């Protein structure tokens, strides 16, 4: 139950991982595979989302800005404000491509696609 | 291998969870149990660290500011710049106390103890 001070925004990373992701129509479109953190700053870089179910391209993931995931308690999952078509056309990468030192280009291409400025250095 | 652009700071939350924590003397003092995230902002709130091994108080955890965990590739774990005495005297809470809506006091007491200003709202 929220207190008057009202801080209700804490969530454990282990609870986020594995959570389902829905489109605005309420269709299940994927799963949060992981959350990418910045080692030396306090920034959450992005959520790593699998949409393999309909993309059919194997172990490829999307980097979705954390702030675009909206938790819906009724669905027990996150809603992203994108259509299936937008998601299908989005850049998709392997986990390694998203994490290795030279993966910056992949992350930047994703944020550019989603029209969100990267907030990390 | 780092590229010239040099961005090497991405780490997956799933890799952080379960990582050992050491004191500056290299003694293993605990484990990263979880990472607390801010739902609506891009902030990592803190790491949830278990020090049960020597605290002996069961399922109690410490909220350590993320920025104070220094990854040491040689040890394969994080070093925190605190003595055993400092850790023993630090506030310790159950996971519920750290996460429920009215857990703000516990988190603020921890950051006050570690002399780090909370950077979230």
């Amino acid at each position: 139950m929220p207190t008057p001070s009202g801080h209700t925004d804490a969530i454990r990373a282990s609870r986020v991982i594995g959570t389902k992701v829905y489109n605005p129509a309420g269709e299940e479109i994927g799963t949060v595979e992981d959350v990418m953190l910045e080692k030396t700053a306090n920034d959450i870089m992005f959520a790593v989302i699998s949409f393999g179910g309909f993309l059919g391209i194997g172990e490829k993931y999307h980097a979705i800005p954390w702030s675009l995931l909206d938790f819906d308690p009724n669905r027990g999952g996150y809603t992203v404000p994108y259509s299936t078509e937008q998601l299908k056309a989005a850049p998709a990468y392997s986990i390694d491509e998203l994490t290795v030192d030279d993966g910056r280009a992949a992350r930047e291409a994703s944020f550019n696609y989603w029209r969100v400025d990267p907030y990390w250095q």
Side-chain angles (χ1 to χ4, degrees), chain A:
Chain A
M1 192 173 71
T3 58
S5 67
H7 190 81
T8 63
D9 287 340
I11 183 139
R12 296 160 61 182
S14 62
R15 295 261 173 105
V16 175
I17 295 168
T19 301
K20 297 295 183 187
V21 181
Y22 298 88
N23 69 14
E27 299 162 337
E28 183 184 318
I29 53 174
T31 301
V32 180
E33 292 291 324
D34 220 324
V35 183
M36 201 71 72
L37 308 177
E38 177 103 22
K39 278 181 194 167
T40 57
N42 294 307
D43 295 324
I44 303 166
M45 297 176 79
F46 53 81
V48 178
I49 312 286
S50 66
F51 296 104
F54 64 80
L55 280 171
I57 49 173
E59 296 295 309
K60 292 286 188 178
Y61 303 95
H62 294 203
I64 305 280
W66 177 249
S67 57
L68 295 179
L69 297 174
D70 184 28
F71 189 74
D72 181 337
N74 294 323
R75 289 175 185 159
Y78 293 99
T79 303
V80 293
Y82 305 120
S83 69
T84 300
E85 289 67 32
Q86 287 174 307
L87 291 164
K88 280 183 176 172
Y93 302 96
S94 70
I95 285 277
D96 280 350
E97 288 172 320
L98 289 170
T99 51
V100 294
D101 295 343
D102 57 357
R104 187 174 176 81
R107 297 195 298 265
E108 289 186 345
S110 296
F111 273 54
N112 183 55
Y113 180 84
W114 300 117
R115 311 251 186 273
V116 170
D117 288 332
Y119 36 79
W120 64 81
Q121 296 269 322

